[in-house]
Amino acid sequence: MITKGLIKKGEYFDSVSLMLVARKVTALDGIKDCSIVMGTAENRAILANSGMLLDLFKNALDSDLLIAVSAGTGEQADDAIAKAQEFMAQSGKTETANTEFKPRSTEGALKIIPQANLCLISVAGKYAAAVARDALERGLNVMLFSDNVPVASEVELKKYAQARDLIVMGPDCGTAIINGVPLAFANAVNRGDIGAVAAAGTGLQEVTALISNAGAGISQAIGTGGRDVKQEVGGIAFLQGLEALIKDPGTKIILLVSKPPHREVMAKISELARTAGKPVVGVFLGGNPDSLKECGITVCRTLEDAAYAAVALSRGEKPAAAADSASLQKLAAAERANKRPGRKYVRGLFSGGTFCSEAQVIMEPALGTVYSNVPLSKTNRLESALTSREHTVVDMGDDEFTVGRPHPMIDFSLRNRRIAQEAADPTTSVILLDVVIGYGSNMAPLDELGPVIRAAKKADASLSIVCSVTGTDKDPQCRKKVAAGLEDAGALVMPSNAAACRLAAFIAK
């Protein structure tokens, strides 16, 4: 196998275009792998870990484009690099040839839809605050998908919006459902009487999908961005969202989702929840539930428990915890019975950071220390997110994996390499995965994941691969079809991330 590469100084393409080109190159005859990324330090570290960091890449700049190809022969690698450049050139022409009018400014968009009251912004972080300010000045609420926005800008934007009875969801806000319309990464869910506010994007997707799959529905789902509940921002958007749901006549039950807010922010949330006049359910992953019992919030330990508690309250029933332990224990025993000696650790590879936190909440009491790049306890931090240690869960949507790359809910290539890496480790017992479908996510998850799972199971059938699928049957990918396809490939598919984590822990315990 030969690896060759090309560096193109100062040449920029958006990350999704690069992903699509890399995917086409990888499909060429004789090509084992292809990576086309901007030359950030994080991307060079990933190339090094996969054996594709060539000498000519080592001093690359963030503004340089790197093309790396591993192929059976040098000629195949050269041809693939040439093809990659052709594909990139065609990508630009395709966009230019599209005659559909696309406004290039907020002003232009408002000329087409003058009644619009919300602007979704996804531009490079260093430009995002100015675009958001422009939208606010035009009287628009803002959903700021962009990340890498300075915290000072976030605070300024949110205070400006609040003073004008507007809201800024984000930055780094990936999910919302407003008046039944899914925005960014979101799912096609039932309308209903449960409203949610979340400082956790995939957490919001999980609870809204579980609620819909249970037959209930969503009134509004308001994302705030994870940084909103930290001390610097003060929970401005979270509190605005909670207040809006309290006033909303279509919301009967309120569901709050977040990692533990700063104590000052939590005090404000608790005080507002106390006077809500409606049942409030909260899940603050990794937080201390005892501190919230006095404020009238039904506090849950997992996203699954919180979603089902909201459904029960919506139906006038008493919330109950999950009761699948016996069936999961039985399934785990069957997996352990065929396990090859030495395979003993769980390796969780998540596209959603909230799922990575939930995995730690569930597995640490059963397994002990679980290492992570986003640990709930600082002492459990991985030295390198690229290398697992004993029981490990990795948030592959964290910034170190996404600078200059599409989010792993869109681009599976990096996680697929990691799955192969973990499967080849003779100490790995369980590979634990989240598969998030819906709008914004990869439209063909089975095409991407199926072959990798089959290859891992073919190499060692005793390796357990446990998945959850976040989404609904109404999503474009259809949850039922995706789950069936994953099972056909050899995975054990659970109805929620929490159930998948419980099963993984039972197998490895």
Side-chain angles (χ1 to χ4, degrees):
M1 192 66 60
I2 292 175
T3 299
K4 289 194 171 186
L6 177 70
I7 182 168
K8 297 178 77 69
K9 304 293 288 185
E11 192 158 324
Y12 176 80
F13 282 78
D14 70 86
S15 58
V16 173
S17 295
L18 296 181
M19 174 194 72
L20 295 174
V21 171
R23 192 177 291 168
K24 290 169 74 173
V25 173
T26 303
L28 296 173
D29 287 342
I31 304 304
K32 179 188 176 189
D33 202 355
C34 174
S35 186
I36 307 178
V37 294
M38 302 307 295
T40 63
E42 293 84 358
N43 284 335
R44 282 182 279 128
I46 291 168
L47 286 174
N49 192 58
S50 58
M52 298 177 76
L53 183 66
L54 303 170
D55 286 344
L56 75 163
F57 295 157
K58 289 182 178 175
N59 296 315
L61 304 176
D62 292 359
S63 56
D64 296 337
L65 179 66
L66 314 182
I67 303 173
V69 174
S70 293
T73 68
E75 186 177 4
Q76 288 172 327
D78 289 335
D79 289 344
I81 291 169
K83 278 287 186 186
Q85 295 178 87
E86 286 180 25
F87 292 149
M88 284 189 284
Q90 290 167 3
S91 172
K93 287 178 182 176
T94 300
E95 187 170 339
T96 303
N98 192 336
T99 57
E100 182 185 352
F101 175 68
K102 294 180 180 177
R104 302 180 70 85
S105 67
T106 307
E107 182 182 15
L110 283 172
K111 287 179 179 175
I112 299 173
I113 315 175
Q115 70 276 23
N117 62 3
L118 187 149
C119 181
L120 196 163
I121 297 170
S122 178
V123 300
K126 61 183 177 181
Y127 307 117
V131 178
R133 178 64 180 245
D134 178 61
L136 291 170
E137 289 175 351
R138 296 176 188 278
L140 300 173
N141 297 288
V142 167
M143 179 175 178
L144 195 49
F145 186 83
S146 310
D147 58 6
N148 296 312
V149 175
V151 66
S153 298
E154 177 177 355
V155 173
E156 181 184 345
L157 288 168
K158 287 185 169 176
K159 287 183 175 178
Y160 183 89
Q162 187 178 33
R164 288 153 183 80
D165 201 22
L166 300 171
I167 187 171
V168 174
M169 299 184 285
D172 202 14
C173 178
T175 302
I177 303 172
I178 305 299
N179 295 332
V181 179
L183 299 173
F185 293 121
N187 300 93
V189 301
N190 300 333
R191 294 301 307 275
D193 59 9
I194 299 172
V197 184
T202 45
L204 187 54
Q205 284 194 260
E206 176 80 338
V207 296
T208 53
L210 289 173
I211 288 168
S212 186
N213 291 339
I218 301 299
S219 56
Q220 309 287 345
I222 301 169
T224 68
R227 204 167 57 188
D228 184 81
V229 294
K230 295 186 182 296
Q231 184 180 26
E232 298 91 330
V233 184
I236 296 173
F238 201 97
L239 292 164
Q240 281 184 284
L242 175 54
E243 203 163 357
L245 293 180
I246 291 171
K247 295 176 181 175
D248 177 23
T251 297
K252 178 180 167 187
I253 309 295
I254 297 174
L255 174 54
L256 309 177
V257 182
S258 175
K259 293 178 185 175
H262 185 272
R263 56 182 171 76
E264 294 174 6
V265 177
M266 192 67 242
K268 294 177 184 176
I269 294 171
S270 300
E271 187 55 35
L272 191 52
R274 191 196 306 273
T275 60
K278 302 176 180 181
V280 179
V281 178
V283 54
F284 302 97
L285 290 167
N288 178 7
D290 293 337
S291 64
L292 299 170
K293 286 180 179 175
E294 294 180 359
C295 67
I297 297 177
T298 300
V299 183
C300 297
R301 182 167 164 263
T302 69
L303 299 167
E304 177 189 59
D305 286 346
Y308 292 157
V311 171
L313 290 168
S314 173
R315 292 172 176 162
E317 300 169 356
K318 187 177 180 181
D324 56 4
S325 179
S327 61
L328 293 183
Q329 289 275 20
K330 184 177 179 181
L331 187 53
E335 289 290 305
R336 285 197 305 271
N338 298 315
K339 190 70 65 182
R340 182 177 290 181
R343 288 200 178 274
K344 54 186 176 180
Y345 295 127
V346 177
R347 302 287 161 75
L349 307 175
F350 294 96
S351 58
T354 317
F355 292 140
C356 194
S357 296
E358 188 178 45
Q360 294 169 70
V361 168
I362 293 170
M363 294 199 301
E364 284 188 341
L367 300 177
T369 301
V370 176
Y371 294 95
S372 179
N373 60 330
V374 288
L376 295 179
S377 169
K378 292 180 180 178
T379 58
N380 296 344
R381 179 172 291 281
L382 286 169
E383 289 185 16
S384 167
L386 302 176
T387 305
S388 294
R389 176 184 179 186
E390 300 174 2
H391 298 297
T392 289
V393 292
V394 181
D395 173 13
M396 301 199 72
D398 198 40
D399 288 349
E400 58 195 310
F401 291 106
T402 58
V403 176
R405 284 180 174 273
H407 193 277
M409 282 169 21
I410 301 170
D411 182 3
F412 287 14
S413 60
L414 205 57
R415 185 165 73 163
N416 284 348
R417 290 186 197 127
R418 186 66 175 265
I419 291 172
Q421 175 185 326
E422 300 294 353
D425 182 342
T427 69
T428 301
S429 174
V430 183
I431 293 178
L432 177 60
L433 306 171
D434 61 341
V435 182
V436 184
I437 61 173
Y439 300 106
S441 296
N442 190 308
M443 285 295 132
L446 290 177
D447 293 348
E448 304 265 351
L449 266 177
V452 180
I453 293 173
R454 283 192 173 87
K457 293 291 290 184
K458 184 178 180 181
D460 183 355
S462 80
L463 175 69
S464 303
I465 299 180
V466 180
C467 301
S468 63
V469 180
T470 297
T472 73
D473 292 347
K474 293 190 289 188
D475 283 325
Q477 305 92 335
C478 182
R479 186 190 180 282
K480 187 187 301 180
K481 291 181 180 177
V482 173
L486 291 170
E487 288 175 342
D488 184 62
L492 301 168
V493 182
M494 295 292 106
S496 68
N497 182 63
C501 294
R502 289 195 294 273
L503 176 59
F506 287 149
I507 294 172
K509 192 172 181 179

